[in-house]
Amino acid sequence: MILVGLTGGIGSGKSTVSALLAARGAVIVDADQVVRDVQRPGSPVLAKMAERFGPQVIAEDGSLDRAAVAAVVFSDPEALKDLNKIVHPAVGAEMNRQVMAELSTDHVVVMDIPLLTENPREGLQAVIVVDVDPEVQVQRLVGGRGFAEDDARARIAKQATREQRLATATHVVDNSGTLDDLAPQIDRLWVELTALPQLPPDWEMPAPKPKDA
């Protein structure tokens, strides 16, 4: 197994890069998907969230009302800390389980973690940063995802800066252009990733830090 991290700011197109790597054979361990999985209806994590934030965070069908949670934690640092304490240990454990299930393979395993710069992971053999100018992020969030401009800028401001992300990178993907511009970069990146050494069969995943995803 070859283990690498993938990150990028909101609106950077990280999911597109992740999909292109998967198309070339990478196994994706997606932090956002794991978060959704551990918060599924009936899960212990969801029960703890309802206990902490109130029954209004549960929708009528028993699923998590993500907008309701966001409304609580976005401007309340203490509430956000409590949310992280509930969610992150479960997410970290599940991500580690998925990674270790691939240890005996020759796969390139990509840990897709939006906040990897803010919450670094040990044990990664490379860190891929999807890089765009912050103004491009704003344009994509407003034009493609329906964000109000003020909301888009506020969300970008709450994440690591472009410079902070780039400082952690071993590989940088410039996603400011088109898909046609992106594909050749992913081809080159794939060659570089598959040339990394395989981890030994007795390798152990370092314990996750308190904030994982």
Side-chain angles (χ1 to χ4, degrees):
M1 177 181 74
I2 296 167
L3 182 63
V4 304
L6 172 67
T7 194
I10 185 172
S12 66
K14 178 181 59 63
S15 296
T16 301
V17 172
S18 180
L20 290 171
L21 288 170
R24 285 157 175 79
V27 173
I28 309 298
V29 178
D30 184 341
D32 284 342
Q33 182 59 52
V34 171
V35 169
R36 289 189 287 270
D37 290 344
V38 302
Q39 294 174 339
R40 66 190 182 279
S43 68
V45 168
L46 190 58
K48 290 177 183 177
M49 291 176 66
E51 180 180 351
R52 167 59 179 86
F53 300 110
Q56 70 273 12
V57 302
I58 308 297
E60 290 184 5
D61 64 359
S63 65
L64 178 65
D65 185 335
R66 299 183 188 283
V69 176
V72 172
V73 305
F74 191 69
S75 59
D76 185 341
E78 289 304 314
L80 180 59
K81 286 181 182 179
D82 289 344
L83 176 65
N84 289 340
K85 288 177 183 177
I86 294 169
V87 175
H88 285 151
V91 171
E94 175 58 19
M95 292 185 74
N96 282 8
R97 186 196 68 77
Q98 292 185 24
V99 168
M100 293 306 294
E102 299 292 330
L103 181 58
S104 63
T105 75
D106 61 357
H107 296 155
V108 175
V109 177
V110 178
M111 298 189 78
D112 180 342
I113 305 177
L115 302 183
L116 181 59
T117 301
E118 295 87 335
N119 306 296
R121 292 285 310 219
E122 295 182 7
L124 299 175
Q125 295 169 268
V127 174
I128 306 158
V129 170
V130 183
D131 179 53
V132 296
D133 185 279
E135 289 305 314
V136 174
Q137 291 177 261
V138 173
Q139 292 169 15
R140 289 177 177 171
L141 292 175
V142 172
R145 293 169 60 177
F147 281 68
E149 183 175 340
D150 287 348
D151 187 23
R153 293 188 183 279
R155 289 173 184 266
I156 291 169
K158 281 188 172 290
Q159 295 186 339
T161 66
R162 183 184 190 184
E163 292 74 20
Q164 288 170 331
R165 271 191 296 271
L166 289 173
T168 70
T170 60
H171 299 74
V172 178
V173 174
D174 177 3
N175 194 24
S176 56
T178 67
L179 192 59
D180 288 339
D181 298 323
L182 187 59
Q185 293 186 71
I186 304 304
D187 287 336
R188 291 192 296 271
L189 175 62
W190 186 247
V191 170
E192 293 171 1
L193 295 180
T194 53
L196 292 170
Q198 295 280 333
L199 289 169
D202 59 349
W203 181 81
E204 295 184 1
M205 188 78 185
K209 296 182 183 300
K211 291 184 179 181
D212 249 321

